[in-house]
């Protein structure tokens, strides 16, 4: 089954304790991205990757890191989490945009993070 | 700048009513894509439709239909004969044409929460 998986699905942590949220896709997609969802704000892009070893900042990258060492995996790292990073996080993947075409993104199930 | 506005924060209907979710977008590009996603209470995001800016034909898929009007920069979504299972948050999103390198960013609206009551 084609899917994007994320782990963990729920996480409660304390300020400053480093954490990693994993993301993996089995669709051989080049493009992967992380979003956070907050009430009233919709989803906002944190980081994206157009291929292995190619990553760039989205709209709200502060406090986050990513890496893309393999095509299927795109972990999100919070080196020193703070309470304002409490949110619902989604990983997504899609075919890489080409020419004038962009493609739909497929989302993981989400990770609900609470930082106290 | 790109922007997507979903002015309806919450809509409540009774089963079998028709309901339209509004989406207005702003972009300076002539080539762009519009999307709708559904987020049911379970929380996942489900892709519903992708439409490019050169295709203004309305789309129908079962009880779902989409009306794309470039003249008013709108991409509205109608559910006919709504059902309780349609209860969800619906997001409209915009992506401008890819620049060299395959950039594929989505700009989301804030979402509309639809509650369908029996």
């Amino acid at each position: 089954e084609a899917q994007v998986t994320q782990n963990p699905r729920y996480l409660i942590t304390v300020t400053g304790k480093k954490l990693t949220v994993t993301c993996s896709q089995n669709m051989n997609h080049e493009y992967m991205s992380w979003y956070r969802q907050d009430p009233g704000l919709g989803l906002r892009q944190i980081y994206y990757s157009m291929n292995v070893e190619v990553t760039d900042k989205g709209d709200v990258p502060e406090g986050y890191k990513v890496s893309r060492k393999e095509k299927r995996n795109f972990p999100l790292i919070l080196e020193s989490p703070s309470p304002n990073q409490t949110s619902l996080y989604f990983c997504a993947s899609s075919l890489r945009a080409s020419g004038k075409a962009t493609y739909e993104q497929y989302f993981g199930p989400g990770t609900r993070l609470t930082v106290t | 700048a790109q922007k997507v506005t979903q002015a309806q924060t919450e809509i409540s209907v009774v089963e079998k009513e028709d309901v339209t979710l509004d989406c207005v977008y702003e972009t300076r590009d002539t080539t762009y894509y519009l999307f709708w996603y559904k987020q049911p209470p379970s929380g996942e995001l489900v892709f519903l439709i992708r439409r490019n800016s050169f295709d203004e034909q309305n789309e129908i898929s079962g009880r779902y239909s989409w009306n794309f009007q470039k003249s008013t920069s709108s991409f509205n979504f109608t559910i006919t004969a709504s059902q309780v299972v349609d209860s969800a948050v619906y997001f409209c999103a915009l992506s401008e044409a890819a620049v060299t390198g395959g950039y594929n960013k989505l700009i989301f609206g804030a979402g509309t929460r639809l509650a369908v009551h029996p």
Side-chain angles (χ1 to χ4, degrees):
Chain A
E1 178 190 356
Q3 60 182 350
V4 179
T5 56
Q6 293 178 229
N7 281 292
R9 295 288 312 279
Y10 302 91
L11 179 59
I12 300 174
T13 190
V14 296
T15 299
K17 186 176 181 182
K18 181 179 178 179
L19 65 93
T20 299
V21 183
T22 65
C23 172
S24 184
Q25 52 93 6
N26 63 2
M27 294 172 278
N28 202 33
H29 285 162
E30 297 91 347
Y31 184 91
M32 296 186 75
S33 183
W34 277 101
Y35 295 85
R36 61 178 288 173
Q37 180 181 359
D38 301 291
L41 297 176
L43 283 85
R44 294 176 294 167
Q45 189 180 58
I46 303 171
Y47 268 94
Y48 66 94
S49 169
M50 292 185 288
N51 215 326
V52 175
E53 303 292 0
V54 181
T55 63
D56 208 346
K57 297 177 181 177
D59 294 320
V60 288
E62 293 76 23
Y64 305 95
K65 286 177 58 178
V66 293
S67 68
R68 187 92 181 272
K69 295 184 176 9
E70 303 167 284
K71 193 173 187 178
R72 64 182 293 126
N73 297 323
F74 190 44
L76 179 69
I77 303 157
L78 284 71
E79 297 255 349
S80 183
S82 61
N84 64 13
Q85 293 179 298
T86 293
S87 188
L88 178 59
Y89 291 87
F90 287 98
C91 180
S93 75
S94 74
L95 293 170
R96 177 173 168 156
S98 62
K100 290 284 191 177
T102 59
Y103 298 96
E104 61 272 19
Q105 295 184 27
Y106 293 92
F107 287 81
T111 295
R112 187 167 292 282
L113 172 66
T114 301
V115 183
T116 61
Chain B
Q2 300 174 52
K3 185 179 179 182
V4 176
T5 302
Q6 295 180 256
Q8 304 150 308
T9 305
E10 294 190 26
I11 300 175
S12 181
V13 300
V14 177
E15 219 173 7
K16 297 184 183 175
E17 283 187 40
D18 298 346
V19 57
T20 296
L21 283 61
D22 298 332
C23 173
V24 175
Y25 61 91
E26 295 176 29
T27 177
R28 283 177 285 190
D29 207 341
T30 56
T31 303
Y32 51 89
Y33 286 78
L34 296 162
F35 304 81
W36 276 94
Y37 284 85
K38 174 182 180 180
Q39 187 176 41
S42 52
E44 72 272 24
L45 283 159
V46 179
F47 165 71
L48 295 178
I49 189 171
R50 162 180 171 258
R51 175 53 54 94
N52 75 55
S53 53
F54 295 108
D55 183 1
E56 286 194 73
Q57 282 192 354
N58 291 335
E59 175 108 5
I60 298 174
S61 177
R63 296 184 296 106
Y64 294 173
S65 62
W66 290 269
N67 180 254
F68 176 32
Q69 292 198 335
K70 287 179 77 170
S71 60
T72 56
S73 297
S74 64
F75 187 44
N76 296 337
F77 174 30
T78 297
I79 302 175
T80 303
S82 60
Q83 300 176 2
V84 172
V85 293
D86 295 325
S87 296
V89 179
Y90 291 86
F91 290 98
C92 181
L94 164 71
S95 180
E96 290 183 341
V99 298
T100 301
Y103 188 33
N104 206 13
K105 178 181 176 180
L106 287 175
I107 301 295
F108 284 85
T112 297
R113 182 177 299 277
L114 173 65
V116 181
H117 302 283

